Amino acid sequence: MAKKVTVNKDLCIGCGACAATAPSVFAIADDGKADVIVPEVGEADEGACRDAAANCPAAAIEIA
């Protein structure tokens, strides 16, 4: 089952850790903050997204 991934832009500090950990899901947008480029991920990307969420210094990534 696909999981929905979101970034809370109010919390995001734009460090880029998520884009480095899961580049197929996250990118740094023009505003300098993380952007989700694939809003629903399957099992193949879920682990990397969970790693990105766990390592986000601002706790801005949510997976539901």
Side-chain angles (χ1 to χ4, degrees), residues 24-58:
S24 63
V25 179
F26 300 99
I28 300 301
D30 290 340
D31 65 0
K33 297 193 177 194
D35 206 7
V36 177
I37 54 176
V38 179
E40 290 191 7
V41 297
E43 284 185 35
D45 289 320
E46 185 179 344
C49 288
R50 291 204 179 277
D51 288 345
N55 292 312
C56 177

